[in-house]
């Protein structure tokens, strides 16, 4: 595939002086290409990545601002098309992944023969696996961004073209046909977060980036967890940080909401000490937050639905239990942890961000 | 007490509505259509032109079928000329559909009326092709071959990459 400006061509290649099994992801200079010729005839090239097991797929995002390859060891590599720098390396169970496509510049779809995976490049922990027989013998994925559909071709006896609808990413609450959603087993992620910052405007669908902390609001005697200020949460396993609002806690599961409305369920045990302390203080202030899990267990609903019902149950419980004293304590806690300086207004206990 | 009951009813109502919405979007991704399309042979090539709402698929039997992406209605069926289709692509402007495979050839179809504009004989079995974003140039390769650059509007060979590597996948 070409880079968006046509200045380079990306390919997987075999170099004659290498071992026969080694494969190289190369970028060759095509700036001298014209409608009638190519100068010089022997263009320069450089190797971006090498593997001894071979590559399956090489695809670009819609605007070709990024490209990705998957190799037969199961790694997915994502590069910036302009700088040709590696942005993300995801090691997972993708060794059989022959179909790969960008959904948007931060989301990849991949078919691995027994499942479809949807990988959030900015938050791989929230990636989803959807086991399905329909993933068998799939060889190409192409994404229709106008309708959020993934077209999949299959080399098999029948039903060779399937179409998948990718529903809203606002609910991270379950998998296909009742299969549990969640991080892909064995997936390890190495992200250069500085390289994942928003770049030039592109035509493809862009996730909403965090622009400012969520405005805090504790009013009318009702505390809604969703109204707490966004804060940084640290995953001790990956050392990755995300900015998100605390929504609720259900046993070991902490429900967070990012500014683009994505909801993430993370294990409390994986959160850093400061996050644990924050949760302890929330629970201390509102012991009711520990009191809603039994509700979910009585319902025969999909796991994600019960989690979210738990959240609403908690909000209901909190709204009934909140007292002025606890509101004040919480206001102080929130303000002290906010990424925006936030004075306490004694009159109404509301938080107001200071505008510089 | 009455106030609490009112709030309880309101919250339960909102919860119920939200739960319905959540259940509808639980599956991610979910298959909304998984029907057998009229395409009934083992597929090896797939390409999409989302802006013009068409997807093209080809495979073992050699014919290429172009579907409208919303309804999956068949737009056209490009008959086989005798071999498998291994790679296909729309050019970035959507004016041409390029089809490569067996026999060793590249077919260029004009998407305006889906007529075959030209057939370019290739020196190898092409499994991979991609179009230049600005020029009417297509890069082609097979397994272990050099890279060829053709002008698909004129049908002329523009260049052969002799950069010391052979393409495996592109």
């Amino acid at each position: 595939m070409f880079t968006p400006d046509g200045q380079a061509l990306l390919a997987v290649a075999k170099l004659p002086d290498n071992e026969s099994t080694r494969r190289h992801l190369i970028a060759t200079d095509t700036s001298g290409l014209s409608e009638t010729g190519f100068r010089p005839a022997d263009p320069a090239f450089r190797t971006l990545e090498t593997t001894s097991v071979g590559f399956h797929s090489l695809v670009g995002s819609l605007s070709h601002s990024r490209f990705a390859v998957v190799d037969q060891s199961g790694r997915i590599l994502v590069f910036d098309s302009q700088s040709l720098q590696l942005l993300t390396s995801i090691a997972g169970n993708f060794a059989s992944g022959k179909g790969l496509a960008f959904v948007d510049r931060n989301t990849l779809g991949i078919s691995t023969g027994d499942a479809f995976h949807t990988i959030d490049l900015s938050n791989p922990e929230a990636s989803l696996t959807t086991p399905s027989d329909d993933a068998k013998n799939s060889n190409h994925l192409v994404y229709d961004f106008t309708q959020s559909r993934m077209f999949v071709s299959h080399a098999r006896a029948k039903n060779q073209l399937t179409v998948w609808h990718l529903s809203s990413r606002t609910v991270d609450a379950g998998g296909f046909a009742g299969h549990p959603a969640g991080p892909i087993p064995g997936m390890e992620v190495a992200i250069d977060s500085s390289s994942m910052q928003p770049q030039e405007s592109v035509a493809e669908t862009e996730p909403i980036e965090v622009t400012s902390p969520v405005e805090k609001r504790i009013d009318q005697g009702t505390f809604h967890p969703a109204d707490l200020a966004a804060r940084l949460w640290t995953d001790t396993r990956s050392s990755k940080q995300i900015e998100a609002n605390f929504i609720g806690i259900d046993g070991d599961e902490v429900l967070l909401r990012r500014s683009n409305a994505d909801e993430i369920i993370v294990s409390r045990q994986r959160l850093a000490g400061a996050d644990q302390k924050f949760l302890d203080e929330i629970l201390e202030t509102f012991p009711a937050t520990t009191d809603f899990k039994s509700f979910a267990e009585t319902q025969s609903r999909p796991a994600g639905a019960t989690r979210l019902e738990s959240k609403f149950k908690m909000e209901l419980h909190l709204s009934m239990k909140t007292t002025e004293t606890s509101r004040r304590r919480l206001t102080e806690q929130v303000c002290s942890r906010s990424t925006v300086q936030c004075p306490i207004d004694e009159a109404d206990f509301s938080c107001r961000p200071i505008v510089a | 007490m009455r106030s609490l009951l009112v709030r309880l009813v309101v919250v339960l109502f909102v919860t119920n509505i939200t739960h319905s919405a959540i259940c509808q979007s639980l599956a991610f991704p979910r298959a909304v259509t998984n029907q057998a399309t009229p395409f009934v042979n083992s597929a090896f090539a797939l390409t999409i032109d989302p802006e013009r709402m068409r997807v093209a698929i080809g495979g073992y039997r050699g014919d290429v079928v172009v579907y409208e992406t919303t309804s999956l209605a068949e737009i056209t069926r490009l008959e086989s000329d005798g071999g498998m289709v291994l790679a296909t692509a729309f050019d970035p402007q959507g004016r041409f559909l390029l089809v490569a495979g067996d026999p060793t050839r590249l077919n260029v179809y004009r998407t305006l009326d889906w007529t075959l504009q030209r057939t370019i004989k290739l020196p190898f079995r092409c499994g991979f092709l991609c179009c230049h974003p600005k020029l009417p140039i297509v890069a082609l390769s097979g397994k272990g071959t050099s890279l060829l650059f053709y002008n698909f509007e004129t049908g002329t060979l523009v260049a052969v990459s002799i950069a010391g590597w052979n393409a495996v996948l592109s």
Side-chain angles (χ1 to χ4, degrees):
Chain A
M1 55 166 280
F2 284 94
T3 54
D5 57 5
Q7 298 295 299
L9 183 136
L10 308 162
V12 176
K14 176 183 169 185
L15 302 181
D17 55 347
N18 279 110
E19 300 171 31
S20 61
T21 58
R22 294 181 74 81
R23 299 290 182 266
H24 306 266
L25 174 63
I26 63 163
T28 189
D29 180 8
T30 53
S31 58
L33 189 63
S34 71
E35 292 187 23
T36 55
F38 200 2
R39 296 287 183 275
D42 193 3
F45 70 93
R46 68 181 170 110
T47 298
L48 305 180
E49 187 67 28
T50 299
T51 175
S52 58
V53 292
F55 291 96
H56 274 318
S57 296
L58 170 62
V59 296
S61 61
L62 178 66
S63 68
H64 283 203
S65 63
R66 290 178 177 179
F67 66 94
V69 293
V70 55
D71 70 18
Q72 292 176 16
S73 71
R75 282 188 313 163
I76 294 176
L77 308 173
V78 181
F79 293 83
D80 178 84
S81 297
Q82 287 298 332
S83 65
L84 300 179
Q85 296 297 310
L86 178 66
L87 298 178
T88 305
S89 172
I90 301 173
N93 300 324
F94 308 117
S96 58
K98 291 188 176 177
L100 184 68
F102 277 90
V103 174
D104 58 44
R105 65 199 301 272
N106 272 331
T107 310
L108 270 172
I110 183 169
S111 167
T112 56
D114 58 357
F116 283 105
H117 307 276
T118 312
I119 301 165
D120 185 340
L121 298 177
S122 60
N123 182 22
E125 296 294 328
S127 301
L128 294 180
T129 298
T130 305
S132 171
D133 287 343
D134 276 325
K136 284 180 181 172
N137 304 109
S138 55
N139 48 24
H140 292 285
L141 270 63
V142 292
Y143 183 65
D144 178 5
F145 69 90
T146 64
Q147 300 173 76
S148 302
R149 283 176 166 189
M150 188 75 82
F151 289 79
V152 185
S153 63
H154 306 262
R156 61 186 180 192
K158 62 178 182 177
N159 203 9
Q160 295 92 348
L161 176 62
T162 56
V163 188
W164 290 67
H165 174 81
L166 272 63
S167 56
S168 167
R169 301 176 61 209
T170 56
V171 177
D172 176 9
F176 178 62
H179 290 286
I184 297 157
M187 185 169 73
E188 296 175 2
V189 184
I191 293 182
D192 177 1
S193 57
S194 62
S195 303
M196 301 293 286
Q197 296 304 310
Q199 299 175 351
E200 74 285 356
S201 174
V202 292
E204 59 201 311
T205 44
E206 298 278 0
I208 300 170
E209 299 290 344
V210 175
T211 54
S212 64
V214 177
E215 184 178 353
K216 298 152 287 296
R217 178 167 56 87
I218 301 173
D219 57 6
Q220 305 301 319
T222 301
F223 162 52
H224 291 287
D227 295 332
L228 287 175
R231 66 188 299 280
L232 282 175
W233 300 83
T234 304
D235 181 352
T236 53
R237 195 173 298 176
S238 65
S239 299
K240 189 167 179 265
Q241 288 189 315
I242 61 164
E243 187 172 19
N245 291 77
F246 168 76
I247 300 298
I249 181 168
D250 187 352
D252 182 54
E253 294 176 334
V254 181
L255 183 63
L256 306 176
R257 181 184 293 157
R258 305 182 74 181
S259 62
N260 62 1
D262 285 356
E263 291 192 350
I264 307 160
I265 296 172
V266 297
S267 168
R268 182 178 177 178
Q269 294 178 349
R270 292 181 58 165
L271 294 173
D275 301 327
Q276 302 279 2
K277 191 177 176 186
F278 176 81
L279 293 172
D280 287 341
E281 290 171 352
I282 288 284
L283 293 173
E284 182 186 351
T285 308
F286 295 100
T289 54
T290 61
D291 191 32
F292 57 88
K293 191 169 184 180
S294 59
F295 178 79
E297 292 171 349
T298 62
Q299 310 295 312
S300 56
R301 301 266 173 80
T306 56
R307 287 173 190 155
L308 287 156
E309 282 185 345
S310 299
K311 180 189 77 173
F312 287 112
K313 168 105 175 169
M314 183 194 70
E315 288 187 349
L316 168 66
H317 204 138
L318 290 173
S319 65
M320 296 170 67
K321 288 281 187 182
T322 302
T323 65
E324 187 171 275
T325 304
S326 58
R327 280 191 293 118
R328 181 171 185 174
R329 285 182 59 193
L330 185 67
T331 304
E332 292 168 350
Q333 291 167 1
V334 170
C335 292
S336 66
R337 286 163 179 77
S338 169
T339 53
V340 172
Q341 287 183 301
C342 180
I344 299 172
D345 186 325
E346 291 293 332
D348 60 11
F349 300 105
S350 63
C351 284
R352 295 176 304 188
I354 294 174
V355 179
Chain B
M1 187 63 186
R2 186 179 174 186
S3 170
L4 284 177
L5 283 174
V6 170
R7 287 166 65 184
L8 175 64
V9 169
V10 169
V11 171
L12 287 177
F13 179 71
V14 171
T15 303
N16 191 42
I17 292 174
T18 311
H19 175 258
S20 301
I22 290 165
C23 284
Q24 288 175 9
S25 59
L26 269 180
F28 172 62
R30 64 190 167 95
V32 290
T33 53
N34 193 16
Q35 71 271 34
T37 62
F39 188 80
V40 286
N41 67 83
S42 213
F44 302 136
L46 181 69
T47 188
I48 193 169
D49 182 358
E51 295 179 41
R52 297 162 193 85
M53 300 174 67
R54 54 200 181 194
V55 60
I57 185 169
Y60 182 75
R61 291 186 183 174
D63 52 347
V64 173
V65 186
V66 182
Y67 296 104
E68 198 270 332
T69 54
T70 304
S71 62
L72 288 181
E74 185 174 314
I75 296 173
T76 190
R77 180 178 291 264
L78 307 172
E79 297 299 328
S80 167
D81 58 356
M84 290 184 289
V85 169
L86 298 173
T88 182
F90 288 101
D91 80 297
Q93 287 70 42
R95 292 182 299 152
F96 298 99
L97 174 64
L98 311 178
V99 178
D102 278 340
T104 55
R105 50 95 180 97
L106 171 70
N107 285 343
V108 182
Y109 296 90
R110 187 171 64 186
T111 57
L112 183 66
D113 53 5
W114 302 107
T115 55
L116 179 63
Q117 295 296 291
R118 62 187 50 84
T119 294
I120 301 170
K121 178 69 178 171
L122 302 177
F124 50 73
R125 189 188 199 195
C126 171
F128 313 102
L129 61 84
C130 63
C131 293
H132 193 281
K134 298 169 183 172
L135 301 171
I137 301 292
V138 57
L140 306 130
S141 70
K143 284 214 169 190
T145 69
S146 297
L147 204 61
L148 302 184
F149 296 92
Y150 278 91
N151 183 320
F152 54 78
E153 287 187 350
T154 63
T156 56
L157 178 65
V158 172
V160 179
S161 169
I162 51 172
W165 51 268
N166 290 320
V168 177
L169 173 69
S170 63

